[in-house]
Amino acid sequence: MSRELLNIVEAVANEKEVARNVIIEALEAALAAATRKRYPDEEIDAKVVIDPCTGEYKSFRVWTIVDDEAILENPDAEMRESVAAIEYPEQNLHVGDVLEIPIENEPFGRISAQQAKQIIIQKLREAERRKVYDRFIAEEGTLVHGIVRRHERGSVIVDVNGVEATILRDGMIPRENLRVGDRIRGYLAKVNLEMRGPQLEVSRVAPEMLKALFTLEVPEIGTGIIEIMGVARDPGLRAKIAVRTFDPRVDPVGACVGIRGSRVQGVMNELAGERIDIVLWDDDPETFVRKAMAPAQITATAADEVRKSIDIAVPENKLPQAVGRGGQNVRLASELTGWTINVLSEAEFQARQEAAQDAQERELAAALDVDDDIADILIEAGYNTAEAVASAEREELLAIEDFDEETVDALIERAADHLLQQAFVEEVEPEEEMQLPLDSMEGLDESVIAALQEKGLHTQEDLAELSVDELMTYTGMNQEQASVLILKAREPWFRG
């Protein structure tokens, strides 16, 4: 029988082109399964070892050694440590060890042929999956060539070097008609080893595919002379790619476009005619956004670096072009630059800038307890925060027209007091901050504080708990002033 086993191993290994050890493991599993069936009233654990040289095999009943206090989940395959010490003292067994006791071999001829076949097929499938995985894992994240073989449940099955790969529905370019026999390129997005799901997943919509195609078409990218800084795609319709170079002799945009557009056209043809804008990267966000928004005609910009948001102004009649169909142009530019881009008409931009300046003016006036005219002068001179005023040189402030020494000294002192107060508030817990007296709050003049105190309101929390209508009634403020003040009083709650 040993010769028969070896013959089976050799035949199957040669036919399926898998290693001999895989077939031997399958036969060992089949023999172990047959051995366990000899004990119909027990749930034993069995093991069979085949000698790959002679074909002889040995069978063992396997016991796992467990702690004496443990609950036996399977008494037919688990043995307590104390029992093992008594019955097999020479083995010196401890918790976690495995005891293998030789038992009679199950004759090979009695193994269910169907059972052996199923186990062997399962092992072969596992081996084939491993072989495909080992073959392609190094290619994950690269371009692959394939031939369309069939359509299956909305997905496309592609032959990639003799192995079936899957392009899922969301990995296909919309409205692209892939026909059986078409030769295509795709981005190998994932190589799976799991039994469930496609083993090779290919994408035609990944931004990385566009980057890989340009790397193929433009030698300067492959050599590192040109670097791709970002990619944004609306698959099948439009894409934007940002490039840069540290070699002043090289035009990165022109190199990517190629002579008469040959290079970029090659990429577009591969992507079903997807239109591609090549943008020169810039480390200045506003300049980069201007270039990324091409062909939009931008007349002004205003960036908020904290929120990574930028407002851009375009002529009224150029708004549709700047935004793009369905917002495509601004959406791709935002994705490429990493900034939120707000496209405004010139009138809207001007109104927003004026509103922002007015808010900044009011905030500075409140912080320094000065009127709006002085705040406006400071902002025009470049001092738009209390921090900027506090850190300014006295001589610089004196150089501002209409400012005398007394005014400058007062501004510096008030700015420093404001910073100290802010630092104190930041260190106070929200609950404690809400108990601060009203005169410690910014934006409250003495008449308002007096009016509130007459109503029995003495702390920031008292003010925060008022409604807008109540505050308007108590102080005579308009609705906008009352809303701003109550929101200011409630800030510690939001921070907490």
Side-chain angles (χ1 to χ4, degrees):
M1 190 56 68
S2 61
R3 177 51 53 188
E4 182 179 349
L5 272 177
L6 291 179
N7 289 340
I8 292 175
V9 170
E10 292 296 337
V12 177
N14 292 333
E15 180 184 349
K16 299 294 184 179
E17 296 183 355
V18 295
R20 293 176 76 254
N21 65 298
V22 174
I23 309 302
I24 290 175
E25 288 176 5
L27 289 173
E28 287 174 342
L31 285 165
T35 301
R36 285 192 292 271
K37 287 189 175 181
R38 287 216 315 259
Y39 300 83
D41 299 328
E42 299 180 73
E43 296 181 11
I44 74 162
D45 191 6
K47 175 182 178 181
V48 174
V49 179
I50 299 176
D51 188 322
C53 298
T54 66
E56 300 292 339
Y57 62 94
K58 296 179 181 179
S59 304
F60 302 89
R61 180 169 181 173
V62 179
W63 296 87
T64 301
I65 309 303
V66 299
D67 187 80
D68 288 342
E69 303 299 326
I71 298 175
L72 297 182
E73 297 181 2
N74 181 8
D76 298 324
E78 295 175 332
M79 183 182 297
R80 298 190 188 278
E81 186 178 20
S82 59
V83 175
I86 295 172
E87 296 190 9
Y88 303 94
E90 71 284 356
Q91 299 279 0
N92 191 26
L93 297 167
H94 300 287
V95 175
D97 290 342
V98 173
L99 173 64
E100 297 179 355
I101 301 175
I103 57 177
E104 181 182 352
N105 286 336
E106 178 70 15
F108 183 69
R110 293 180 56 190
I111 299 176
S112 165
Q114 185 64 27
Q115 182 184 41
K117 179 181 178 182
Q118 289 176 351
I119 293 176
I120 290 173
I121 289 174
Q122 179 183 351
K123 290 289 184 181
L124 288 174
R125 285 175 179 168
E126 292 175 359
E128 298 228 354
R129 277 193 293 271
R130 168 57 69 175
K131 192 164 72 171
V132 170
Y133 179 84
D134 291 342
R135 176 180 170 187
F136 284 94
I137 188 59
E139 297 183 38
E140 189 177 68
T142 65
L143 285 181
V144 292
H145 292 76
I147 301 174
V148 176
R149 290 306 185 198
R150 64 184 185 277
H151 294 262
E152 191 175 277
R153 298 177 183 176
S155 300
V156 174
I157 308 302
V158 181
D159 184 328
V160 177
N161 295 330
V163 176
E164 287 191 347
T166 303
I167 305 178
L168 300 174
R169 185 192 299 272
D170 58 6
M172 291 187 284
I173 296 175
R175 296 174 293 279
E176 182 180 30
N177 184 23
L178 296 179
R179 295 170 295 184
V180 174
D182 284 352
R183 293 181 175 273
I184 63 169
R185 281 174 174 162
Y187 178 77
L188 186 56
K190 186 180 291 186
V191 181
N192 297 311
L193 188 57
E194 296 83 1
M195 294 177 62
R196 303 177 68 178
Q199 195 160 349
L200 300 184
E201 288 187 29
V202 173
S203 172
R204 300 251 310 150
V205 302
E208 294 84 358
M209 181 174 180
L210 183 60
K211 186 175 181 178
L213 287 171
F214 268 102
T215 302
L216 285 177
E217 292 285 344
V218 184
E220 293 88 344
I221 295 177
T223 59
I225 296 175
I226 295 175
E227 182 179 3
I228 297 176
M229 300 300 293
V231 173
R233 288 185 68 187
D234 192 351
L237 297 175
R238 191 174 181 184
K240 290 179 183 285
I241 181 170
V243 295
R244 72 169 178 181
T245 181
F246 294 108
D247 189 338
R249 299 168 299 176
V250 176
D251 172 16
V253 174
C256 291
V257 172
I259 299 174
R260 291 189 293 275
S262 58
R263 290 176 172 177
V264 71
Q265 190 62 49
V267 176
M268 291 170 60
N269 292 340
E270 184 61 50
L271 299 177
E274 188 172 311
R275 178 185 169 189
I276 301 171
D277 299 335
I278 303 174
V279 178
L280 181 61
W281 183 86
D282 199 292
D283 57 2
D284 176 61
E286 294 190 53
T287 303
F288 188 24
V289 167
R290 283 176 176 270
K291 294 176 179 178
M293 282 295 296
Q297 180 183 336
I298 299 173
T299 57
T301 62
D304 183 341
E305 295 188 2
V306 175
R307 295 182 176 86
K308 289 201 74 173
S309 173
I310 186 167
D311 295 341
I312 64 173
V314 298
E316 186 79 36
N317 62 340
K318 298 294 184 180
L319 272 173
Q321 181 190 43
V323 173
R325 181 178 298 177
Q328 182 188 73
N329 191 50
V330 67
R331 185 176 67 254
L332 290 176
S334 293
E335 184 180 340
L336 183 69
T337 61
W339 283 65
T340 300
I341 302 174
N342 304 310
V343 181
L344 307 170
S345 67
E346 291 174 315
E348 291 172 332
F349 181 87
Q350 183 63 28
R352 181 173 291 195
Q353 288 301 105
E354 290 175 356
Q357 186 172 351
D358 289 344
Q360 190 178 58
E361 183 180 294
R362 289 195 301 271
E363 184 177 345
L364 183 60
L368 301 180
D369 192 19
V370 297
D371 58 36
D372 291 347
D373 290 337
I374 293 180
D376 187 41
I377 294 172
L378 285 169
I379 290 173
E380 287 185 1
Y383 303 97
N384 50 17
T385 65
E387 291 84 352
V389 175
S391 60
E393 294 292 336
R394 187 170 182 273
E395 290 72 17
E396 294 176 353
L397 293 176
L398 283 171
I400 299 175
E401 190 176 355
D402 298 329
F403 278 11
D404 55 23
E405 292 187 1
E406 184 180 351
T407 302
V408 168
D409 291 339
L411 288 173
I412 293 175
E413 182 179 354
R414 292 180 184 185
D417 289 343
H418 173 76
L419 294 182
L420 285 173
Q421 186 180 30
Q422 288 296 105
F424 170 73
V425 169
E426 289 175 1
E427 293 178 359
V428 176
E429 292 294 325
E431 295 81 4
E432 298 177 8
E433 186 177 348
M434 295 302 286
Q435 301 307 316
L436 293 175
L438 290 173
D439 56 13
S440 68
M441 277 190 63
E442 296 179 21
L444 285 180
D445 58 35
E446 293 181 1
S447 62
V448 172
I449 293 173
L452 293 173
Q453 288 176 342
E454 284 182 8
K455 299 296 182 181
L457 308 172
H458 300 282
T459 66
Q460 186 169 333
E461 185 174 27
D462 294 336
L463 175 57
E465 290 176 345
L466 290 179
S467 68
V468 173
D469 290 341
E470 287 174 328
L471 185 57
M472 291 168 60
T473 301
Y474 295 160
T475 63
M477 291 181 173
N478 61 38
Q479 185 173 9
E480 181 181 357
Q481 292 171 326
S483 298
V484 170
L485 189 55
I486 286 179
L487 286 175
K488 182 70 176 177
R490 293 175 179 175
E491 280 183 1
W493 287 344
F494 304 142
R495 292 200 303 268

